[in-house]
Amino acid sequence: MYQTPMSRSILLRHPFFSAVILMLLLAPWPALAEQKIGFVNPQRVVNETRLGKTAKADLARYVAEKDRLAKASAVQIETLRKEAEAPGLSAQDRTRREELLRRKAAQHEQLLSENARDIKAEETRLLQYVMRRAEAVLEDLGKKGGYAIIFTDPAAVGYVDKASVDLTERVAQELDGRGK
Amino acid sequence: MRSLIACIVAALLALVCAATALSKETAKELARQPGWGRVYTVSGKVAVRENPALDALTVRVLKSGQKVRVDFVDDGWAAVFDPAEMVRAETRAQGYVRLAELHAEASPGAKPEALPRSEKPAKPEKPAKPPAADQAKKTGAKKQAPPQPFGEIRVADRKMAVRAGRDKDTEFKRLLPAGKRVRVDFLEDGWFAVFDPEEKVRDLSRAWGYGRDKFLVPEKDYAGQPLPEATEPAGKEAPAKGAQKQKNGDAVAYAVLSRQADLLRPLAPVVLRVRLDMPAPPAPEALRKIVREIWKAERRKNEDLQVEVLLPGMEKDGLAFAVARFHDDGRLKEFWWREVVLRTKR
């Protein structure tokens, strides 16, 4: 009987394939379940949930409040600058006003730096608030879905097949469901 | 000729009747007017600011011809209210305007002369003169009788809300615990005006707000446990519960949760965390007034006090609903609030 090289090869390996298939069939299913891996994009959780959007609106309001303070301070500096540069001032008056301007300018710089620090801190607080609630959802989802690992940092792994393991949408929906 | 005379007489009678009816309507209308503050007509656009300061945030703009009620005048600034506002409480103000930008208009309860720029703020404790009192003055009554208790004392038979108006959807003012004694009067549509039990002046502007009559029972009919404070003199605070104190800041009850100073940063503000006794979050405009009242009540000498407001059900150490920082003179320096904390179930 004529046999092609390919069919001969399969016949030769037949016992090996059988063993592999048998092993797969007999493998305990929970062990396979433990291999489930998920991925959640925190940025999308913030961007796509009501909770996250509210947090972003809160942050925008906070930034506007800080901007208002900075603008008011800038207006004061401008006024002091005009006063210091006004013609007809005595040398003593000019020195005093310039000193005042210099101090106010230093305060303004400090205010700007504090504002930037405060905004960063508020952003972190709000983000943490949202993510803490998202983590509670993730934990439930992980337990119920049998996930061993759920990544939240895409940079931590070399490759993630987002189409099959991305849980972001489910987390977002669940988070919105838990909110008011 | 006779018929002509009869016609004239009939016409005159009709005129008299109409005039009488009109004067009754006018009297009723006047009685409905709040007897406090002054009504102003705006000339030109006037900015309403969240604080009495030129650099404060503009919260709305009044248009020319618009009427506003004005009170709490201080250093050329005044709080503005809806002209129909019945309750004289600064927390209900829409904001602040410069008096110079307004144009006075005579109204019941208003002083005929213009208010000087340096006029001191009218104290909320001082009752606004009711129209009746003004009338007595005009008719030559030299001496007024000392104020007598009015209405009646009733007891809340359950935990109940006192609201800004005779409607359950109006702004929440304070919570009456079961057994709380109050003075009630002005029953209308099933709602009493609720006063401090020691209140002597029968003036709606001095009321805490309005409460449902069916929950306010006469003392003899009240079967529940009386409050320990019910036997104490009026104005005394409720006993402290653990580290918490129940206080009232312009008709809003709150509990102090903590007061923390950062020992490592001496210039950092002292942070006072309070929990408002309100089932629903107040609007930002009202919240601004509330935090200011809390700051006034809680600030110690020369302290840089930051007020953080939490609502019932929020974690004591969690993210606050609102945060306020102040200038030394009590004006708001910074104020922000976080709606995100309202999005999660408390």
Side-chain angles (χ1 to χ4, degrees):
Chain A
M1 190 177 170
Y2 178 79
Q3 286 182 331
T4 60
M6 179 62 83
S7 54
R8 191 166 58 241
S9 153
I10 290 171
L11 278 177
L12 280 173
R13 292 178 189 175
H14 185 76
F16 173 73
F17 273 108
S18 305
V20 169
I21 290 164
L22 197 64
M23 277 172 69
L24 278 175
L25 288 172
L26 293 177
W29 283 106
L32 281 180
E34 280 172 13
Q35 299 305 309
K36 279 177 80 174
I37 291 173
F39 168 74
V40 169
N41 185 337
Q43 195 58 51
R44 274 185 59 206
V45 170
V46 174
N47 290 345
E48 294 174 16
T49 57
R50 279 202 297 270
L51 195 67
K53 284 173 187 169
T54 311
K56 284 174 82 175
D58 286 345
L59 182 65
R61 199 163 45 237
Y62 183 75
V63 171
E65 182 74 351
K66 290 288 181 187
D67 277 352
R68 187 180 64 79
L69 287 176
K71 277 178 191 163
S73 171
V75 167
Q76 284 176 7
I77 287 181
E78 198 47 43
T79 310
L80 287 176
R81 193 188 310 281
K82 279 179 187 165
E83 283 178 7
E85 290 168 359
L89 283 178
S90 68
Q92 195 183 358
D93 260 4
R94 192 175 298 282
T95 312
R96 191 176 55 81
R97 290 185 186 193
E98 279 173 355
E99 175 60 20
L100 205 62
L101 174 64
R102 198 183 55 74
R103 257 186 291 156
K104 183 67 197 170
Q107 283 174 4
H108 180 70
E109 286 305 312
Q110 192 184 347
L111 176 73
L112 293 184
S113 129
E114 282 174 4
N115 280 359
R117 188 198 62 204
D118 288 350
I119 288 170
K120 188 75 195 157
E122 180 70 3
E123 186 180 16
T124 307
R125 275 193 291 269
L126 289 168
L127 194 64
Q128 275 176 355
Y129 185 87
V130 175
M131 289 317 294
R132 211 169 293 149
R133 272 133 196 94
E135 276 165 19
V137 172
L138 266 185
E139 203 176 319
D140 284 356
L141 205 67
K143 280 178 186 167
K144 287 175 189 167
Y147 286 90
I149 302 169
I150 299 177
F151 288 102
T152 55
D153 182 5
V157 287
Y159 170 74
V160 175
D161 179 16
K162 289 177 188 166
S164 62
V165 298
D166 195 349
L167 303 173
T168 308
E169 193 126 351
R170 282 174 66 185
V171 171
Q173 277 174 2
E174 179 67 20
L175 196 58
D176 276 345
R178 288 186 185 191
K180 282 179 180 176
Chain B
M1 186 64 182
R2 275 184 187 174
S3 61
L4 183 65
I5 291 169
C7 278
I8 291 168
V9 168
L12 281 173
L13 276 174
L15 271 173
V16 167
C17 286
T20 312
L22 198 65
S23 64
K24 277 183 184 172
E25 279 302 308
T26 312
K28 275 184 188 174
E29 188 59 41
L30 287 177
R32 277 199 291 268
Q33 292 275 348
W36 59 274
R38 300 183 68 186
V39 173
Y40 280 74
T41 303
V42 180
S43 48
K45 282 186 179 176
V46 177
V48 179
R49 300 182 187 277
E50 68 167 349
N51 290 309
L54 282 174
D55 62 345
L57 196 70
T58 300
V59 288
R60 65 175 69 191
V61 176
L62 302 174
K63 289 174 189 168
S64 185
Q66 191 175 341
K67 286 181 182 178
V68 286
R69 189 165 294 279
V70 167
D71 209 330
F72 300 96
V73 181
D74 187 13
D75 198 22
W77 288 86
V80 289
F81 302 79
D82 188 286
E85 178 62 61
M86 299 297 290
V87 184
R88 184 179 181 272
E90 205 174 348
T91 54
R92 298 180 65 81
Q94 295 169 345
Y96 296 86
V97 294
R98 293 176 69 191
L99 267 183
E101 296 179 48
L102 296 175
H103 169 70
E105 179 184 279
S107 76
K111 295 174 192 170
E113 72 275 12
L115 292 170
R117 281 177 71 82
S118 59
E119 185 172 332
K120 292 289 168 199
K123 289 183 180 173
E125 290 76 28
K126 196 176 174 184
K129 269 182 197 168
D134 281 351
Q135 192 58 36
K137 204 174 175 182
K138 282 175 192 165
T139 50
K142 284 181 183 173
K143 204 174 175 182
Q144 285 186 353
Q148 295 294 318
F150 60 92
E152 59 176 309
I153 294 292
R154 292 219 173 184
V155 180
D157 73 345
R158 65 196 67 192
K159 195 192 272 187
M160 62 172 286
V162 173
R163 300 197 171 273
R166 297 178 199 273
D167 190 299
K168 67 179 173 58
D169 294 327
T170 55
E171 186 194 347
F172 172 87
K173 299 297 284 186
R174 65 166 67 193
L175 197 69
L176 296 183
K180 176 75 180 171
R181 288 170 78 248
V182 289
R183 187 170 294 280
V184 296
D185 205 338
F186 299 99
L187 178 62
E188 214 173 278
D189 299 328
W191 290 78
F192 272 123
V194 179
F195 296 82
D196 186 293
E198 301 302 315
E199 181 60 64
K200 296 286 191 294
V201 183
R202 188 176 182 273
D203 185 343
L204 266 177
S205 68
R206 296 182 63 89
W208 288 344
Y210 299 88
R212 286 305 305 272
D213 60 345
K214 61 183 179 183
F215 302 146
L216 292 161
V217 297
E219 272 187 295
K220 61 182 174 55
D221 296 338
Y222 179 66
Q225 290 289 317
L227 284 178
E229 67 184 335
T231 54
E232 288 175 4
K236 205 164 183 178
E237 289 170 8
K241 197 177 179 184
Q244 297 185 4
K245 291 179 278 180
Q246 288 293 332
K247 299 184 174 184
N248 290 315
D250 199 7
V252 175
Y254 65 92
V256 175
L257 302 177
S258 65
R259 175 191 280 271
Q260 285 183 330
D262 191 342
L263 297 174
L264 298 173
R265 291 166 59 213
L267 291 177
V270 175
V271 178
L272 179 85
R273 288 177 81 86
V274 298
R275 193 190 301 284
L276 295 186
D277 192 4
M278 301 177 94
E285 288 77 16
L287 198 53
R288 283 190 180 96
K289 311 294 180 304
I290 291 168
V291 291
R292 215 165 40 212
E293 291 302 318
I294 293 172
W295 183 86
K296 280 181 194 166
E298 299 293 338
R299 190 204 187 201
R300 292 169 190 167
K301 199 179 176 187
N302 296 332
E303 191 178 49
D304 181 8
L305 188 68
Q306 174 175 316
V307 178
E308 298 193 355
V309 176
L310 286 91
L311 297 172
M314 284 182 179
E315 287 173 34
K316 189 182 166 190
D317 300 316
L319 213 53
F321 171 51
V323 182
R325 290 177 185 161
F326 298 83
H327 291 285
D328 274 347
D329 58 4
R331 284 179 300 121
L332 269 175
K333 185 158 74 178
E334 281 180 79
F335 173 78
W336 71 95
W337 70 99
R338 303 175 178 119
E339 288 186 1
V340 72
V341 297
L342 307 176
R343 283 264 176 208
T344 44
K345 283 169 187 160
R346 284 179 269 138

